[in-house]
Amino acid sequence: MKDFNPSILILSDSTSSTVGLERKIHHMVIADKKIWPKDTTILNFSIPGTTSADALAYLRLLKSKTKKSLKAIFIYLGNCDTISTENPKGYYSYYNHIKHIIKRNVNSGFTKKRIKNKILFYQWNKKVDLAIEQPETPENFEKNLSKICCLAEKFGIEIIMVRSEANKFFIPGLGKGNFIFYKFLGINDKISESIEFPDERLKKALFFHENQNYNKTLELYKDILENPLEENFGSEFNLMILNNYAVAKAEFGYLDEAKHLLRIYLHERFARKEIGYFNLAQIEKIVGNQSTYEDLIFRSYENDKFLYRIRKPYQNILDGISKKFKNIIYLDMKSAISRTDYLDHCHPLPEGQKKLAKLIEEAYSKIGLTGNEKATIVNDLYNPELANGNQSPFNFYFKSISDIDGSKIRELFKKYFNLVEKEIVADYDLKINNIPNEIQNACQYYLKHPLFTNFDDIKEIQQFEASDIGRFPENFIYRFIIPILKKIEIRQPQLLEKFNKSQILVHSSDSFKRILKEQTGVNFDLLKNIRCKNFGLNRVKRIIAKIKTLILEDLNRGNQIYTRLKTTMYWYFRESLRFGSHSRNSMLYNRVLYEYVCEALIISFFYNKENKYGLENDLANLYNKVLKIIYTHDFYCQKFKIYDNTEKLLADYNSKIKDLIKNF
Amino acid sequence: MDITQLIKKVTKEIVKFSMSKKNYRSKMLYLIKGFFYLLPLILEENKKGKANTDDELLGDDIYPLF
């Protein structure tokens, strides 16, 4: 545990995590205001997945000196305690704490917990057994929070506690199991081309379902149920088909039949209740039965143990604790945040963050934390298994740094490039040549950025670091562009202004340095420079061509709003490390791609001017088109509201995308 | 680490921890609790699978590329 002298400690989860390029989460908003006493430091340990037990574990781990320096503890918990898990952490008692200290000192090693119910992303996991999972109990939630409050009282620290809320209208059940295969009424996601499943009929059924060919869809679902494959896909499979059949019936107009089928579905033991109630609610909404719709949405929400959303029993515990302790300022999120402030399951949009920030700011001023300076946020990141005794720092736990050292990585890359030249890069070839998959994965990821148009562009890199091939190969891209962006900031600052007029499309070199440090623990200035040749005329031409290809590929997919929403759990963690953990309207399209495109464009503009390549017109033309596309995505994504009727909006969006393709 | 070594190390740690407590009563209390509760618990947990690098471990189930 590092030495800190903070005035404020944040004990929270992704809802208060202060990582990423955009400073829009509530505490970043208030830290940047000049309202703090001199030298105010806010210590934040929040990362996605933190529960009350982890928060207590962290508080127990803090040195007495640090605790004594604290004036306030900010608590915003509950969303992660309510999701089911195979390894509930329970109450983090003092004996648990001692046990973990002893274990760590004897170096008997902490073992990461194994999980049986693994999310296989686009594959069906027939081994999933959600019955072996359970959320943290409200009793343990209360014990952990009460202990935090007791400790705070002992040290004379004030507590600011948020009565957490979440988005009741979001798609339920998206955090666990085989949710990707379930259809949700009114949610027209497109996953049939991505899924892997042994029975081709399911893939076809989903394809027809997505394209609203209901006769064929119903026929195929029926056939799957009547003539199943020999392979056993688990107790959930037939129920999933039944749910999808009912959804297709409802979309086809047979609402009564769909309702009847969903009621049968809900009586089944292994049925995902939250999904059944959600679909029933949507039918009631279609027939205009608003009160039944709201009642069923409420039931779906309260039955949802498979998404990070706080439920009533846990909110009741927060209410109880707020009355039990005198040192608590209790902030009711509901008073500030409405349903329009949400986009995903629990993180408010920037406007909501501002409202929340205002509430929090008032609370800090009530306890006398006022002044004329800005505050500094220090992230002290561990992992969501802290209460299980795992004290690995964030970068070690999530393997953002590879075990292989820099010089060895260089050798491995050379070997790999040789194999690529000979076109022998199958898994078997890599294995016999002792090349770890990390090398290939990293290379494939680098090629997603338009700056790297082919393997030769990567081959030019002479220096590799352990952070380049970790779990987040995007760290290499940050490392690669930081020095170029720095040059642009000094020599052609007008270029940055050009890209960042009404919104930030290219972030500063310092912001990238900051997130590189956050994610890898490595200071950029201590890393070796990437020795890379200048961008020649041909490379800039190739970049322009690659940008066009990537954008066309993306546009041809049409609007991706529902697919992005349904797969929130797939990309949220990774994207929150880049952008921050708040919701963004740009979550609803592939924003990362467009920011990569802008990075490649600005660098092309820069080298074009420096070396007089004469490509100004091509680049300017492309720049205008890219900007138009981004503004189109932003326009429609800002208007989208999950609880509204979005049919017309999405039809307009798709037709606009078609126009953009024509003009591209 | 074999079991005898582990017992030795854990015992040493329990004694060290207990002796760091201020009064005699606390020292004895932590010693007793340590030997009868924590020692068996730590030994039991040590038997469970060691960490490895496969992707079935918590925290490793991150969607590979976005």
Side-chain angles (χ1 to χ4, degrees), chain B residues 2-5 7 14 16 20 22-23 26-30 32-35 38-39 43 51 53-55 62 64:
Chain B
D2 71 29
I3 190 80
T4 334
Q5 255 186 321
I7 293 173
I14 291 172
K16 205 170 113 190
S20 72
K22 279 173 194 164
N23 56 50
S26 296
K27 282 178 188 177
M28 285 303 120
L29 205 72
Y30 280 106
I32 293 164
K33 190 93 181 178
F35 286 122
L38 293 179
L39 182 61
L43 297 181
T53 51
D54 72 32
D55 275 355
I62 297 167

Side-chain angles (χ1 to χ4, degrees), chain A residues 87 94-95 98-99 102-103 105-108 110-115 118 121-122 385 397-399 445 448 471-474 570-571 573-575 592 596, chain B residues 1 6 9-10 13-14 16-17 21 29-30 33 37-38 41-42 45-46 48-66:
Chain A
N87 305 298
Y94 186 54
Y95 282 106
I98 299 169
K99 183 185 80 183
I102 292 174
K103 275 183 86 173
N105 288 351
V106 298
N107 200 20
S108 67
F110 176 83
T111 57
K112 269 186 174 184
K113 296 274 181 187
R114 282 178 184 280
I115 42 171
K118 198 185 160 199
F121 302 108
Y122 288 101
E385 286 191 84
Y397 182 85
F398 287 106
K399 298 177 187 160
Y445 189 83
K448 277 180 170 269
R471 189 168 292 267
F472 308 108
E474 48 269 46
Y570 292 3
W571 52 259
F573 180 74
R574 217 183 174 97
E575 288 195 13
V592 179
Y596 280 2
Chain B
M1 196 188 305
L6 182 68
K9 282 197 169 184
V10 175
E13 282 301 319
I14 291 172
K16 205 170 113 190
F17 181 80
K21 294 292 153 189
L29 205 72
Y30 280 106
K33 190 93 181 178
Y37 175 68
L38 293 179
L41 207 66
I42 292 171
E45 282 181 15
N46 195 57
K48 291 178 189 167
K50 290 276 177 202
N52 58 32
T53 51
D54 72 32
D55 275 355
E56 282 185 13
L57 301 172
L58 203 63
D60 290 353
D61 53 343
I62 297 167
Y63 190 52
L65 299 171
F66 56 80

Side-chain angles (χ1 to χ4, degrees), chain A residues 221-275:
Chain A
Y221 283 143
K222 211 171 164 187
D223 189 43
I224 294 168
L225 285 177
E226 283 173 358
N227 307 300
L229 287 190
E230 269 182 31
E231 195 177 342
N232 178 12
F233 295 113
S235 46
E236 191 190 354
F237 181 74
N238 285 353
L239 289 167
M240 179 273 291
I241 299 287
L242 173 61
N243 169 76
N244 290 3
Y245 185 85
V247 171
K249 274 274 175 194
E251 285 171 356
F252 205 9
Y254 297 99
L255 295 177
D256 286 339
E257 199 180 334
K259 256 160 95 172
H260 180 67
L261 288 169
L262 284 169
R263 283 197 190 111
I264 294 173
Y265 168 85
L266 281 165
H267 277 104
E268 292 294 326
R269 193 180 154 206
F270 294 106
R272 300 277 300 257
K273 300 271 187 292
E274 74 286 2
I275 298 176

Side-chain angles (χ1 to χ4, degrees), chain A residues 525-543:
Chain A
D525 296 320
L526 302 177
L527 294 174
K528 286 172 192 157
N529 280 337
I530 292 178
R531 268 184 265 147
C532 175
K533 285 179 199 164
N534 263 352
F535 283 71
L537 173 65
N538 282 339
R539 183 159 178 186
V540 175
K541 279 183 180 170
R542 288 202 308 270
I543 289 173

